[in-house]
């Protein structure tokens, strides 16, 4: 069955860690998919405004997709699904993080009901001194420390941590025990996505399938990390870059070229050239 929808994780899958935009080759491949009648969309913990920057201002590359870790779904430029994080659980997590040096909760400041806005972040659960150290080490920018959780609600939040101060496994164990209503999914070397217990990118898949009229067998998914595993293990046509995590490589149907070598773009070019048909000889 031909592919009609391509969903792709960002960091470590289509954007090498440490870079802030996709390659020109990738953008050209996405346009080729569109010309072939195949939808492309990011499947990301990021929100719309920041993703536009990652695609060099080309909004056509992010007009469809599963964003905010499955809490925003866009189809042809329209926000068709939006879910907010539980306010009380985030407030409790913020309190817990105050006692964990080297880790900070950061979140997208609220956007309008269309899901659009500026890619601005707030932080909480951290002292000013701790935040200064984390910002200096990570190169990230935030609006300020000890920013209260907005009562109007947010969709996207994550934890930035310094492994020199706390190991990822220890942090995950402490947070999971203290906040059982939340899941903490490793999305990058220094980050955990924070989602409601049991929620993932997969939770939003039926929404986008219904709006586009596609079946699971007509979806191709690309991912490299823990926050992609539910997709990689559920869908049939799944791909992981050669430099992805071992668990992701094992879960995917196909292991493709490395993220740093434009492995995803190579597959997208093949899909566009063959009208959505899978031709593994093109990338294996």
């Amino acid at each position: 069955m031909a592919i009609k929808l391509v969903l792709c994780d960002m960091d470590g899958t289509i954007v090498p860690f440490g870079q802030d935009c996709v390659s020109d080759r990738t953008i050209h491949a996405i346009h080729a998919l569109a010309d072939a009648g195949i939808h492309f969309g990011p499947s990301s913990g990021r929100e719309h405004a920041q993703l536009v920057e990652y695609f060099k201002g080309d909004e056509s590359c992010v007009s469809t997709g599963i964003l905010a870790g499955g809490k925003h779904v866009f189809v042809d430029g329209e926000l068709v699904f939006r879910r907010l994080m539980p306010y009380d659980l985030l407030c409790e997590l913020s309190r817990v993080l105050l006692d964990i040096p080297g880790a900070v909760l950061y979140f997208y400041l609220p956007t309008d009901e269309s899901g659009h806005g500026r890619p601005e972040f707030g932080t909480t659960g951290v002292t000013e001194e701790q935040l200064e150290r984390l910002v200096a080490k990570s190169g990230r920018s935030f609006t300020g420390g000890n920013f209260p959780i907005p009562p109007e609600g947010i969709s996207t939040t994550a934890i930035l941590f310094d492994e020199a101060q706390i190991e990822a496994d220890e942090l995950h164990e402490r947070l999971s025990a203290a906040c059982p209503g939340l899941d903490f999914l490793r999305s990058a070397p220094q980050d955990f996505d924070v989602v409601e217990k049991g929620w993932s990118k997969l939770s939003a898949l039926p929404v986008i399938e219904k709006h586009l009229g596609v079946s699971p067998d007509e979806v191709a998914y690309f991912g490299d990390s823990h926050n992609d595993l539910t997709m990689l293990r559920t869908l049939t046509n799944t791909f992981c870059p050669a430099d992805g995590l071992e668990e992701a490589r094992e879960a995917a149907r196909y292991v493709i070229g490395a993220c740093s070598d434009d492995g995803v773009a190579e597959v997208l070019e093949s899909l566009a050239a063959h009208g959505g048909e899978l031709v593994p000889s093109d990338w294996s």
Side-chain angles (χ1 to χ4, degrees):
M1 188 173 290
I3 300 300
K4 295 182 180 178
L5 169 64
V6 173
L7 294 171
C8 188
D9 174 60
M10 295 294 294
D11 298 296
T13 300
I14 201 171
V15 181
F17 290 115
Q19 295 188 18
D20 58 5
C21 63
V22 304
S23 68
D24 289 338
R25 180 182 179 183
T26 296
I27 292 176
H28 292 320
I30 293 169
H31 289 173
L33 285 178
D35 291 342
I38 302 168
H39 275 83
F40 171 87
S43 176
S44 174
R46 302 179 188 278
E47 292 194 12
H48 184 272
Q50 193 183 30
L51 286 170
V52 172
E53 294 182 349
Y54 269 75
F55 287 94
K56 303 180 180 180
D58 190 337
E59 295 206 22
S60 69
C61 294
V62 297
S63 64
T64 294
I66 294 175
L67 314 185
K71 296 181 291 298
H72 290 178
V73 175
F74 280 83
V75 175
D76 294 329
E78 180 185 357
L79 182 67
V80 299
F81 176 82
R82 182 176 185 236
R83 184 182 180 93
L84 299 177
M85 290 287 293
Y87 175 76
D88 58 337
L89 295 184
L90 292 183
C91 290
E92 176 60 25
L93 175 59
S94 175
R95 289 190 289 270
V96 169
L97 284 168
L98 283 171
D99 295 325
I100 304 179
V104 54
L105 185 71
Y106 70 96
F107 52 88
Y108 283 83
L109 295 180
T111 58
D112 59 32
E113 292 187 359
S114 71
H116 295 80
R118 293 177 295 180
E120 295 182 341
F121 299 89
T123 58
T124 188
V126 65
T127 66
E128 290 186 9
E129 181 181 358
Q130 291 169 341
L131 181 61
E132 286 179 4
R133 288 200 299 266
L134 281 167
V135 167
K137 185 161 187 174
S138 68
R140 311 284 181 88
S141 60
F142 303 101
T143 57
N146 297 321
F147 203 105
I149 300 293
E152 62 267 40
I154 57 174
S155 293
T156 310
T157 184
I159 292 171
L160 173 67
F161 66 97
D162 179 2
E163 279 198 292
Q165 293 183 266
I166 184 167
E167 293 183 353
D169 289 345
E170 178 188 352
L171 178 60
H172 188 275
E173 183 177 348
R174 289 180 65 176
L175 294 177
S176 297
C179 303
L182 298 171
D183 280 334
F184 305 92
L185 307 175
R186 191 83 176 268
S187 56
Q190 292 180 289
D191 293 78
F192 282 108
D193 287 344
V194 181
V195 295
E196 291 177 73
K197 176 68 71 176
W199 195 266
S200 71
K201 297 175 181 179
L202 181 65
S203 305
L205 183 62
V207 177
I208 199 167
E209 288 175 337
K210 179 180 179 181
H211 277 268
L212 289 175
V214 301
S215 68
D217 287 342
E218 294 172 316
V219 179
Y221 188 82
F222 296 78
D224 77 301
S225 193
H226 294 108
N227 62 344
D228 300 303
L229 291 178
T230 54
M231 287 285 214
L232 293 173
R233 290 169 175 165
T234 301
L235 291 168
T236 300
N237 303 306
T238 56
F239 304 78
C240 180
D243 46 358
L245 293 184
E246 181 179 358
E247 298 98 315
R249 296 197 306 271
E250 291 176 349
R253 180 180 180 184
Y254 301 104
V255 176
I256 59 175
C259 174
S260 56
D261 294 331
D262 271 335
V264 172
E266 186 175 34
V267 181
L268 301 187
E269 291 163 352
S270 175
L271 288 172
H274 297 285
E277 297 293 338
L278 295 172
V279 183
S281 60
D282 282 359
W283 64 79
S284 58

